[in-house]
């Protein structure tokens, strides 16, 4: 799944009042107007969005938030009553259906926080670092399907959002980030805590705005939420100078959006002829495989129906886990660098690859020329920039995968002859591969294999928990050994690989889905990068469970050192070299400092009871699971390699 080609980044275009000097280095763009769309047109545009949909959500608890209709929204102000720009901003968020934000205050955003205190609708979950706030907003969006919202001040507050914005763009997460900015007259003067955040984030946002007129706030907020959630979702940033926040105005809530270019480029419903061509390729194939990604997360029902009608086995990307039930006999689980042997075997031997909502990422394809080299390729994606970018398809459809699957299912249901296609021999061949090359791990005495810890967690939660992770070995094991049967259960930093993601993402998930069990499966390296968010979890009393797989090392880098650098340790040991026999740092002390119950387990025999205690304890809990650092994530296809290069044996106890 991929991002709509970046728009030209906008500034509001009404000139500031005469008293305000125009900012330097700013180009005013011509104004555009569009007629207010009709109700039916609005519904149609929402329908083709890959986030907002008129269908039922994939699960009963993951709901997509919709804007509040203007006629039902009750404002705190009289229609003609002037109010500050900051109050206009907060009301605009309320009108978009926002109920939770993740905001950290500072000098340039104080007005926004003061306005938030006047809102009876929006709750602020106070992070302890802006990166924690932006990752929490991402976790909220990934777990719910709604647009996440984070707010930061100017300068360092704004730049602390950068990793989260880049992560949201790469993983197509709908998010609106709002930053305070120095007053307009000071922009470009190197004022205290001034950074040109629009320029800094230009290439890592789907779109961004510098607000130069207070009257533009209602329109810009509407546009930002529409841009973030329609087409290929992504992050949108709104930068608001402090004097704009303080200026009094009577807002016009009826001003239409001005997105004629963007609206004209949104994909149209798929061509029936193209869909029939895809069905014809399916009927002619002998060894088809579905390769599904994050673009299918809102189309789980349609995907399952398509598989039911065709009997085609399904391989998922890291981002696509949960779109198709991992417990199904037709699931091949994850493909790619650390995917199952049988998923990669299926792609290698396939004669038809149905690539739905994917972007042919290098961690999936490895050596591009060798990837699915025997197959005809069908690529369906909402982003035209992804079609043919890495791998040239034989048939491509640029459009919403939900609509495409609905169209394909309709054709299959009407043409019963296609249903006679039998892939039983192909499925039997893949079942043999599953038996021959299962996901497995070894046990050494009483040491706890990290894979086993995740397997036990899967059993004890019935596979129903929302899982967030940091980045590294624990992330790959969580992808392999926890069975995701529903969309939006799996929250991980895929494209960017941002360590420190797991804990704040779990906060966002717990806020969005208070009914769900939320577990952060983390590594000691990733966990400590945003360990301060334990304070947020305690203060908000969020029932986040943290299962820390602690090996005292930067595990994935150690694995590469073992395999490719003769096990030479280059700053990958995270413990105290003068006291190697002790666990350092003592993670239980972090939990104690934040008044969070915690325990440590180091023997396999004690693990199941320890995890059960973690799950049974009300509120937050940290379980420090001590695991050996010699473990390797297997299978592994080395970077740039092909299926023939797959590694299935060995660990750090072996010399290479």
């Amino acid at each position: 799944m991929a991002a709509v080609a970046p728009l030209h980044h906008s500034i509001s275009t009404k000139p500031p009042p005469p008293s305000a000097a125009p900012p330097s280095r700013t180009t005013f763009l011509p104004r555009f107007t569009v007629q207010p769309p009709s109700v039916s047109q609005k519904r149609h545009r929402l329908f083709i969005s890959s986030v907002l949909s008129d269908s039922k959500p994939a699960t009963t608890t993951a709901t997509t938030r919709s804007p509040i209709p203007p006629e039902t929204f009750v404002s705190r102000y009289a229609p003609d009553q002037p109010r500050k720009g900051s109050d206009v901003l907060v009301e605009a968020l309320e009108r978009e259906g926002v109920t939770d934000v993740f905001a950290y205050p500072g000098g340039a955003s104080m007005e926004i926080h003061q306005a938030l205190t006047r809102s009876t609708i929006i709750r602020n979950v106070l992070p302890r670092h802006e990166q924690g706030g932006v990752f929490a907003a991402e976790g909220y969006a990934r777990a719910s399907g709604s647009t996440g919202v984070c707010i930061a001040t100017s300068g360092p507050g704004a730049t602390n959002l950068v990793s989260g914005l880049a992560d949201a763009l790469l993983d197509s997460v709908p998010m609106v980030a709002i930053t305070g900015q120095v007053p307009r007259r000071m922009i470009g003067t190197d004022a205290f805590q001034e950074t040109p955040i629009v320029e800094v984030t230009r290439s890592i946002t789907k779109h961004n705005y510098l607000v130069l007129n207070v009257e533009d706030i209602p329109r810009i907020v509407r546009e930002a939420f529409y841009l973030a959630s329609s087409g290929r979702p992504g992050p949108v940033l709104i930068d608001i100078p402090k004097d704009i926040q303080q200026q009094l105005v009577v807002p016009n809530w009826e001003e239409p959006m001005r997105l004629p270019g963007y609206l004209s480029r949104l994909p149209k419903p798929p061509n029936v002829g193209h869909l029939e061509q895809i069905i014809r390729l399916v009927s002619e194939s002998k060894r088809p495989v579905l390769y599904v990604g994050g673009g299918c997360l809102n189309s789980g029902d349609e995907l399952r129906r398509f598989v039911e009608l065709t009997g085609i086995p399904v391989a998922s990307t890291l981002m696509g886990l949960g779109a198709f039930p991992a417990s199904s006999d037709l699931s091949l689980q994850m493909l790619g660098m650390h995917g199952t042997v049988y998923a990669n075997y299926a792609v290698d031997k396939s004669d038809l690859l149905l690539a739905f909502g994917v972007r042919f990422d290098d961690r999936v394809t490895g050596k591009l020329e060798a990837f699915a080299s025997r197959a005809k390729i069908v690529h369906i994606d909402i982003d035209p920039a992804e079609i043919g970018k890495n791998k040239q398809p034989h048939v491509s459809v640029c459009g919403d995968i939900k609509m495409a699957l609905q169209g394909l299912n309709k054709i299959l249901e009407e043409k019963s002859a296609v249903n006679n296609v039998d892939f039983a021999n192909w499925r039997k061949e893949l079942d043999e591969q599953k038996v021959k090359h299962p996901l497995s791990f070894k046990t050494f005495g009483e040491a706890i294999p990290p894979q086993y810890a995740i397997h036990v967690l899967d059993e004890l939660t019935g596979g129903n928990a929302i899982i967030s992770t940091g980045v590294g070995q624990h992330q790959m094991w969580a992808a392999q050994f926890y069975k995701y049967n529903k969309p939006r259960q799996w929250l991980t930093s895929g494209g960017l690989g941002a360590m420190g993601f797991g804990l704040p993402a779990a906060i966002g998930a717990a806020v969005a889905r208070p009914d769900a069990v939320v577990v952060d499966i983390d590594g000691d390296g990733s966990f400590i990068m945003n360990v301060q968010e334990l304070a947020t979890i305690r203060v908000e009393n969020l029932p986040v469970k943290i299962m820390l797989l602690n090996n005292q090392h930067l595990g994935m880098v150690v694995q590469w050192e073992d395999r490719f650098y003769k096990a030479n340790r280059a700053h990958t040991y995270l413990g105290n070299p003068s006291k190697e026999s002790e666990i350092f740092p003592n993670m239980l002390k972090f939990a104690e400092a934040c008044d969070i119950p915690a325990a440590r387990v180091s023997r396999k025999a004690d693990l199941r009871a320890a995890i059960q205690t973690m799950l049974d304890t009300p509120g937050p809990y940290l379980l420090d699971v001590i695991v050996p650092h010699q473990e390797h994530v297997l299978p592994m296809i080395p970077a740039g390699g092909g299926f023939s290069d797959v590694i299935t044996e060995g660990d750090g106890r072996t010399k290479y």
Side-chain angles (χ1 to χ4, degrees):
M1 189 163 96
V4 174
L7 301 168
H8 293 295
H9 299 262
S10 297
I11 57 176
S12 65
T13 56
K14 293 180 183 177
S19 59
S24 61
R25 300 180 294 192
T26 303
T27 303
F28 290 100
L29 303 180
R31 295 185 62 163
F32 296 94
T33 57
V34 292
Q35 293 299 317
S38 68
V39 173
S40 62
Q41 286 174 320
K42 284 183 183 177
R43 283 180 182 159
H44 175 68
R45 288 206 298 273
L46 289 174
F47 179 68
I48 66 172
S49 156
S50 64
V51 168
L52 299 176
S53 168
D54 65 352
S55 67
K56 293 179 181 177
T59 64
T60 55
T61 53
T63 56
T64 302
R65 180 182 62 226
S66 298
I68 299 172
E71 61 274 12
T72 63
F73 184 83
V74 179
S75 176
R76 295 187 299 280
Y77 299 91
D80 58 350
Q81 181 182 355
R83 77 287 314 249
K84 286 184 174 183
S86 57
D87 288 299
V88 175
L89 172 68
V90 169
E91 183 168 327
L93 294 177
E94 292 172 347
R95 287 170 179 266
E96 290 298 324
V98 174
T99 56
D100 302 279
V101 298
F102 304 88
Y104 197 88
S109 64
M110 284 179 64
E111 290 285 351
I112 298 171
H113 282 263
Q114 290 295 312
L116 284 170
T117 66
R118 294 188 280 272
S119 173
T120 57
I121 296 173
I122 297 176
R123 163 197 185 189
N124 180 36
V125 177
L126 178 68
R128 269 30 181 197
H129 189 287
E130 290 91 353
Q131 188 181 93
V134 68
F135 283 158
E138 270 200 271
Y140 183 98
R142 291 173 189 249
S144 67
S146 298
T147 302
V149 180
C150 61
I151 303 173
T153 190
S154 63
T159 55
N160 279 340
L161 301 181
V162 164
S163 292
L165 293 170
D167 190 61
L169 185 71
L170 283 167
D171 287 352
S172 305
V173 177
M175 187 166 67
V176 171
I178 298 166
T179 52
Q181 183 55 276
V182 298
R184 285 172 297 177
R185 66 184 180 279
M186 298 172 70
I187 292 176
T189 68
D190 295 332
F192 176 67
Q193 290 193 333
E194 180 196 358
T195 52
I197 198 64
V198 165
E199 300 305 318
V200 170
T201 62
R202 185 179 298 280
S203 60
I204 55 169
T205 50
K206 185 175 176 181
H207 194 49
N208 58 28
Y209 295 89
L210 173 61
V211 181
L212 293 178
N213 190 296
V214 68
E215 293 179 6
D216 289 336
I217 291 175
R219 172 182 60 82
I220 283 175
V221 171
R222 278 187 64 207
E223 289 179 5
F225 276 82
Y226 185 78
L227 290 168
S229 59
S230 61
R232 179 183 178 178
V236 178
L237 180 134
I238 306 174
D239 195 29
I240 310 178
K242 187 167 184 176
D243 59 325
I244 293 283
Q245 300 171 35
Q246 294 170 326
Q247 192 173 339
L248 293 176
V249 68
V250 176
N252 175 13
W253 300 110
E254 304 303 319
E255 188 172 356
M257 295 190 297
R258 301 178 198 160
L259 301 170
Y262 178 79
L263 293 174
S264 68
R265 294 201 305 274
L266 283 175
K268 308 296 185 289
N271 183 289
V272 176
H274 291 157
L275 300 183
E276 289 179 338
Q277 188 178 358
I278 294 169
I279 298 300
R280 188 162 60 249
L281 288 174
V282 169
S283 66
E284 292 169 356
S285 68
K286 303 294 183 189
R287 298 184 303 280
V289 174
L290 271 159
Y291 155 37
V292 303
C296 294
L297 288 178
N298 291 325
S299 313
D301 293 340
E302 291 82 2
L303 178 63
R304 286 192 294 274
R305 179 61 178 155
F306 180 78
V307 174
E308 187 182 304
L309 290 167
T310 60
I312 298 174
V314 182
S316 295
T317 68
L318 183 72
M319 293 301 302
L321 291 173
F324 185 77
S327 58
S328 168
D329 291 340
L330 288 172
S331 172
L332 300 171
Q333 296 180 251
M334 187 171 70
L335 81 165
M337 176 178 280
H338 292 296
T340 62
V341 170
Y342 40 89
N344 289 320
Y345 174 94
V347 171
D348 188 62
K349 303 297 182 187
S350 66
D351 62 2
L352 177 66
L353 185 68
L354 300 172
F356 290 178
V358 296
R359 59 187 180 92
F360 290 89
D361 177 73
D362 61 285
R363 289 293 163 115
V364 166
T365 63
K367 188 177 180 182
L368 269 170
E369 312 86 75
F371 182 75
S373 57
R374 302 168 174 82
K376 291 179 180 175
I377 295 175
V378 173
H379 192 183
I380 304 179
D381 198 90
I382 201 164
D383 183 1
E386 292 297 338
I387 305 291
K389 184 179 84 173
N390 293 329
K391 191 81 174 175
Q392 196 62 43
H394 297 79
V395 176
S396 64
V397 174
C398 182
D400 189 326
I401 189 67
K402 179 185 279 285
M403 294 182 72
L405 282 167
Q406 287 170 345
L408 290 168
N409 292 343
K410 185 178 179 183
I411 294 169
L412 286 166
E413 287 162 351
E414 291 173 353
K415 297 187 176 182
S416 57
V418 181
N419 297 345
N420 295 329
V421 175
D422 187 6
F423 303 122
N425 290 337
W426 173 230
R427 290 196 297 269
K428 182 181 177 184
E429 183 181 338
L430 296 180
D431 286 342
E432 290 170 357
Q433 288 295 315
K434 288 182 180 182
V435 173
K436 191 175 178 183
H437 299 288
L439 286 173
S440 61
F441 55 87
K442 295 176 182 176
T443 300
F444 294 87
E446 274 299 301
I448 300 173
Q451 306 94 322
Y452 176 69
I454 295 166
H455 173 70
V456 172
L457 179 69
D458 180 47
E459 286 185 351
L460 294 179
T461 58
N464 291 317
I466 294 176
I467 303 294
S468 70
T469 74
V471 170
Q473 287 182 314
H474 70 276
Q475 175 191 29
M476 294 298 104
W477 286 319
Q480 291 176 336
F481 288 91
Y482 200 96
K483 304 305 178 219
Y484 304 94
N485 290 318
K486 290 178 282 191
R488 308 202 174 281
Q489 272 188 276
W490 167 244
L491 320 177
T492 198
S493 175
L496 191 67
M499 292 176 66
F501 177 84
L503 188 60
I507 290 173
V511 172
R513 304 271 297 277
D515 56 309
V517 176
V518 179
V519 183
D520 170 29
I521 299 176
D522 227 327
D524 49 315
S526 284
F527 176 70
I528 206 167
M529 285 198 173
N530 274 314
V531 69
Q532 75 284 341
E533 299 309 322
L534 287 175
T536 301
I537 289 171
R538 176 71 283 167
V539 169
E540 299 289 340
N541 198 29
L542 298 171
V544 171
K545 313 299 183 185
I546 303 149
M547 189 170 82
L548 193 60
L549 301 181
N550 190 346
N551 65 4
Q552 298 282 282
H553 287 74
L554 205 53
M556 188 61 86
V557 185
V558 165
Q559 177 171 333
W560 282 52
E561 287 175 341
D562 288 342
R563 294 282 177 176
F564 310 120
Y565 294 90
K566 298 180 180 178
N568 181 46
R569 294 289 174 259
H571 320 118
T572 48
Y573 175 59
L574 300 178
N576 184 348
S578 65
K579 298 180 179 178
E580 287 196 23
S581 61
E582 297 180 10
I583 301 299
F584 178 88
N586 185 345
M587 301 297 183
L588 306 184
K589 294 290 186 182
F590 287 129
E592 182 186 344
C594 293
D595 194 25
I596 290 175
R600 175 177 292 158
V601 59
S602 56
R603 296 174 65 250
K604 186 183 178 187
D606 302 328
L607 179 67
R608 183 176 292 270
I611 293 177
Q612 189 65 62
T613 299
M614 175 184 77
L615 296 172
D616 291 344
T617 302
Y621 193 97
L622 185 149
L623 181 62
D624 191 19
V625 183
I626 308 303
V627 298
H629 73 272
Q630 296 94 338
E631 290 296 321
H632 284 185
V633 180
L634 297 174
M636 177 183 182
I637 298 176
F643 175 65
S644 60
D645 303 310
V646 66
I647 299 168
T648 58
E649 292 292 333
D651 56 25
R653 302 171 182 89
T654 310
K655 298 291 184 186
Y656 300 96

